Amino acid sequence: MDATDLQPIELFDGLGDEQLEELLAAGREVPFGPGELLFAEGDHADSWWVLIDGVVELVRRTERDDMVVGRMDVPGRWAGGYRAWVETGVYLASARGLEPGRMLEVPATALRDLAATWFPFGSHLIKGIYGMALYVESTARQRDALATLGKLAAGLAHEINNPAAAATRATAALGAADDKLFAALHELAEHGITAEQFTALDGLRRDLAARPAPAYGDVADLEEALAERLEAQGVDRSWVMAPVLAAANADEQWCQGLAQVVDERSLQAGLDWVVSSLQGTVLRAEITESTRRISELVAAVRSYSQLDRAALQQLDVAEGIESTLLVLGHRLREGSVAVVRDYGATPRIEGYAGELNQVWTNIIDNAVDAMAGEGTLRISTRAGDDGGVVVEIADTGPGLPPDVAARAFEAFYTTKAVGQGTGLGLDIAQRIVRERHGGTIEIESVPGDTVLRVRLLAAPPG
């Protein structure tokens, strides 16, 4: 390797032949092949690596497997060398060859000395900017992550609390209904009810349980008529029994059938037994529905976080959007946000499902904020021309002026009030879509119709 290898590379514009020779003398040429490890994540960044030719992929280790976070495929792309400016600098990812090529490896100490010699003022600026950028970014990202986690946790707690509280109330009521049922059986036995009478009474209960619910407009009249009849017969708590019997569609014929089965002395106990049985059926259905809802929420959280799945996987984009909507349900119900879905036929694509869910979270959360909690959220999916998927998320908020829309994806740029946003949401979304999935994300905004359009490839590059 000589100066002619470095001269065409834009990174080295402004360096003379003598300086390029100094740089080459301080470093060394490192050829590599597919799969060959060049440097490892977490090791001290003692060297500055510059791509001369070939392709290198950058990989980070997750709890489950290796995850590709970027590629170096253009001559002049560089990595490492952080210890030239910060003593604690480490490699943020591992680098391994994807296509054969060469890299220039320069020790970080040599890079620091050369920079200090060639442009000392610039060297001081780089060190200061690098340190400040690390501090600001880490602080802001940590704050944003904690804020997002806090909002999601609070929302999920609220979502789970409702069905959990309903199940708790229904369980307590079911216990009371069971106590009443057993007390009614004891009273019927004391009154000497025969097996034939009890069988007929159970038949009346089964008849009610099998009847369709009455029309909504008829319930009040039916309840009033039953309450008057029961009160006339001297039945205690008629105002409690009448709503239960009315909801089961008990009519005059059914009441006459009950009078033929039990005498006046056993009427109260017979009604208590029938009503308690009906209440038990309704309460068990409530408990089943509440626990089903809790299970759905847990499943949605697992789908959202992808805790039990590989990082790169075949995925259904609409499924990820639905799990995100469920997780953000509390945000949609805080005001009056209507969700309109238009899921077209789309292929399954390869992607990082957990990261895409973060994209949907940021976009939907921003849309709800833009509408101040009131409006229409429209979500549509369709197949892309290249075999991928196009997702559009639109809101009916006031829209973004052109100058604001042009900067929407800049890191730390936000139009929200102080303390309400970090300006990282759309920056993170853009990084995930572009760098991790090779896709695009864009904004079209007019008052009353702001659209975020995400285009995803059938599979990430590489």
Side-chain angles (χ1 to χ4, degrees):
M1 183 184 298
D2 55 34
T4 59
D5 292 304
L6 305 185
Q7 287 169 347
I9 298 177
E10 184 180 0
L11 175 67
F12 301 115
D13 286 352
L15 296 183
D17 290 343
E18 184 177 342
Q19 291 172 310
L20 292 178
E21 292 295 345
E22 286 186 62
L23 187 64
L24 289 170
R28 68 186 183 99
E29 177 183 345
V30 180
F32 61 85
E36 186 173 344
L37 181 68
L38 296 167
F39 53 82
E41 175 187 357
D43 288 352
H44 287 300
D46 290 321
S47 293
W48 183 54
W49 298 80
V50 182
L51 182 71
I52 305 303
D53 49 50
V55 179
V56 172
E57 62 180 3
L58 301 174
V59 181
R60 295 194 69 167
R61 184 67 184 171
T62 67
E63 293 182 0
R64 300 180 298 276
D65 50 20
D66 288 338
M67 181 172 64
V68 178
V69 296
R71 294 204 309 174
M72 301 171 66
D73 52 6
V74 177
R77 291 277 177 89
W78 60 270
Y82 306 125
R83 297 194 80 184
W85 322 111
V86 179
E87 187 63 28
T88 57
V90 297
Y91 294 115
L92 304 180
S94 299
R96 62 189 180 202
L98 189 61
E99 297 178 10
R102 298 174 298 161
M103 294 195 82
L104 171 64
E105 179 189 8
V106 180
T109 52
L111 176 65
R112 180 187 61 221
D113 294 341
L114 289 172
T117 301
W118 294 341
F119 33 85
F121 179 65
S123 181
H124 289 303
L125 283 179
I126 291 173
K127 184 175 181 179
I129 291 172
Y130 187 86
M132 180 57 68
L134 282 179
Y135 173 76
V136 171
E137 182 173 7
S138 63
T139 302
R141 288 189 184 275
Q142 182 182 34
R143 176 187 170 189
D144 187 58
L146 289 175
T148 300
L149 180 61
K151 288 193 293 185
L152 290 178
L156 284 171
H158 178 73
E159 291 290 301
I160 292 176
N161 180 66
N162 286 338
T168 301
R169 289 193 301 268
T171 302
L174 181 61
D178 286 343
D179 291 341
K180 191 65 180 176
L181 183 146
F182 292 133
L185 284 175
H186 179 76
E187 189 174 348
L188 287 171
E190 285 185 336
H191 292 168
I193 189 172
T194 65
E196 290 78 10
Q197 286 178 301
F198 185 77
T199 301
L201 183 62
D202 187 53
L204 290 171
R205 179 193 65 81
R206 290 174 180 271
D207 175 45
L208 280 187
R211 291 187 179 190
Y216 179 77
D218 298 336
V219 174
D221 294 338
L222 188 57
E223 183 179 327
E224 183 178 356
L226 286 168
E228 290 178 357
R229 180 185 179 93
L230 295 178
E231 188 174 352
Q233 292 179 305
V235 175
D236 292 337
R237 303 183 310 281
S238 59
W239 66 90
V240 174
M241 294 185 178
V244 178
L245 294 173
N249 210 358
D251 52 16
E252 179 68 23
Q253 183 181 358
W254 186 88
C255 293
Q256 292 175 357
L258 178 65
Q260 294 172 2
V261 171
V262 295
D263 55 26
E264 291 184 3
R265 189 178 63 155
S266 301
L267 178 61
Q268 179 74 55
L271 278 170
D272 282 341
W273 183 78
V274 171
V275 170
S276 297
S277 298
L278 294 174
Q279 286 178 323
T281 300
V282 172
L283 291 169
R284 282 190 292 273
E286 288 183 11
I287 293 171
T288 300
E289 175 62 22
S290 298
T291 52
R292 181 193 63 79
R293 175 65 176 167
I294 293 172
S295 296
E296 281 185 353
L297 286 167
V298 172
V301 172
R302 292 183 65 185
S303 174
Y304 178 84
S305 62
Q306 301 294 309
L307 290 175
D308 57 349
R309 305 185 188 183
L312 183 64
Q313 60 187 268
Q314 289 281 333
L315 58 91
D316 182 346
V317 170
E319 179 184 318
I321 294 173
E322 279 301 302
S323 67
T324 303
L325 287 172
L326 192 55
V327 169
L328 293 176
H330 66 289
R331 290 281 284 132
L332 303 175
R333 288 190 293 274
E334 281 176 357
S336 180
V337 176
V339 180
V340 177
R341 298 167 173 84
D342 181 17
Y343 297 146
T346 57
R348 296 179 70 85
I349 64 171
E350 274 194 0
Y352 301 95
E355 296 181 22
L356 286 177
N357 287 345
Q358 189 176 5
V359 172
W360 314 138
T361 299
N362 284 328
I363 295 176
I364 293 172
D365 194 57
N366 280 347
V368 174
D369 284 340
M371 295 185 289
E374 294 187 1
T376 300
L377 179 71
R378 304 189 309 278
I379 303 175
S380 65
T381 63
R382 66 176 187 272
D385 297 334
D386 53 1
V389 174
V390 179
V391 178
E392 291 186 352
I393 300 176
D395 66 72
T396 56
L400 299 174
D403 58 328
V404 174
R407 299 188 61 190
F409 296 106
E410 291 182 14
F412 308 114
Y413 179 76
T414 179
T415 59
K416 297 178 183 178
V418 175
Q420 294 182 2
T422 61
L424 289 171
L426 290 182
D427 171 56
I428 293 172
Q430 183 183 57
R431 289 174 181 271
I432 291 172
V433 171
R434 287 189 177 179
E435 298 179 11
R436 302 283 286 132
H437 294 84
T440 61
I441 180 170
E442 57 188 19
I443 294 179
E444 290 183 4
S445 182
V446 296
D449 187 23
T450 298
V451 181
L452 268 290
R453 185 176 297 107
V454 178
R455 300 180 187 272
L456 298 171
L457 302 178

